[in-house]
Amino acid sequence: MRIRYGFRIALDCAMPTVASFALDVHTSRQADVLTASPLFMRCGPQDVSHTMATDMFGNVRRRAVLPPGRTVVEHHGVIHDSGRPDAVNLSAGQVPVDQLPEEAMTFLLGSRYCETDLLAQEAWSRFGHVPEGWARVQAICDFVHDHIAFNYQNADRTRTAAGALREGRGVCRDFAHLAITLCRSMNIPARYCTGYLGDIGVPRDPAPMDFSAWFEAYLDGRWYSFDARHNIPRIGRVVMARGRDAADVAIVNTFGPHGLAGFEVWTDEMGAERVAA
């Protein structure tokens, strides 16, 4: 299938402000992009110049000095997707720590929003009896899905996994952070993902669209997508960035004050035709 995606973000700055963006489709999905606009960055009629690089996680980073006034950042495109739901492998086993590849080891450690030192005892007491592998990760997702009440009004950029467990509320990033932390506490590598997730194959959500967060767990030598918020396999995930937690993949980081003046995200299936994967 073909998926249309894009965004339009407006930022107000009172003075020249350095900003870093992680808004491109991830390098691992670039080959699937069929058409894409340039990433436009404008302040009034003036184009804002920016640089582009790839970070340690394969995320595309753009950096610019935003001038005083309102800068609009916009991008859109069409990407090919298999049209299949997230892969499910009930027999996928847990890889012993001594056999993990080095790149997976990073995703066993605690990080800014994922305090494995605080939640390890909680994890083992709740899930130590569950068979290792897929069943254990799914049990963690089931718990987080049932424990956290989703509400956009409950968003808090300072809330950590421990905070989400304590408060029992949050948004998609909180579901991901808590599930990631519980997985890592049980020696299952887990990494944070952000990107597009449209209402494909599910009833349309009337709320304004936003970027989504989910996570990937390393089982049987590969990464599998899990989503503790929705807790069902979904169609059409388009990853933009991966990292240890939300701090690594923030869509915008400014090194100075700014105001968010506009935010639109769109992603949906184009037509009914299906293209062979």
Side-chain angles (χ1 to χ4, degrees), residues 98-163:
D98 65 320
Q99 297 176 28
L100 287 169
E102 190 60 34
E103 64 100 10
M105 293 295 292
T106 297
F107 301 106
L108 281 181
L109 306 178
S111 55
R112 164 69 178 85
Y113 291 101
C114 299
E115 314 104 315
T116 52
D117 55 339
L118 298 182
L119 297 189
Q121 184 174 349
E122 177 81 20
W124 283 99
S125 65
R126 286 189 179 275
F127 308 107
H129 67 284
V130 180
E132 291 187 349
W134 190 278
R136 186 170 281 181
V137 179
Q138 187 58 60
I140 288 170
C141 287
D142 292 343
F143 167 74
V144 174
H145 177 79
D146 293 340
H147 183 76
I148 297 180
F150 180 88
N151 191 317
Y152 280 116
Q153 304 307 312
N154 291 331
D156 180 350
R157 63 185 177 83
T158 66
R159 183 184 292 118
T160 64

Side-chain angles (χ1 to χ4, degrees), residues 1-2 80-84 200 235 269 271-276:
M1 68 166 56
R2 295 180 300 158
H80 171 256
D81 190 81
S82 70
R84 294 189 292 269
I200 300 174
I235 298 170
E269 182 182 1
E273 68 273 22
R274 304 239 169 190
V275 181

Side-chain angles (χ1 to χ4, degrees), residues 3-72:
I3 297 174
R4 182 181 72 105
Y5 67 89
F7 65 85
R8 185 179 298 108
I9 300 172
L11 303 171
D12 286 343
C13 297
M15 62 187 73
T17 303
V18 177
S20 173
F21 301 89
L23 287 165
D24 291 75
V25 171
H26 192 267
T27 52
S28 63
R29 291 296 306 272
Q30 283 290 331
D32 296 326
V33 175
L34 301 175
T35 62
S37 73
L39 189 142
F40 300 106
M41 202 176 297
R42 296 191 181 100
C43 185
Q46 173 190 356
D47 288 335
V48 177
S49 62
H50 59 274
T51 59
M52 187 167 63
T54 303
D55 70 14
M56 70 183 80
F57 302 115
N59 306 320
V60 178
R61 298 282 182 177
R62 297 181 188 252
R63 194 188 316 170
V65 179
L66 307 184
R70 178 164 297 175
T71 298
V72 176

Side-chain angles (χ1 to χ4, degrees), residues 19 37 79 98 112 132 152 164 172 175 177 202 210 234 247 249:
S37 73
I79 191 168
D98 65 320
R112 164 69 178 85
E132 291 187 349
Y152 280 116
C172 55
F175 286 79
H177 283 148
V202 296
D210 196 352
R234 291 289 297 268
V249 302

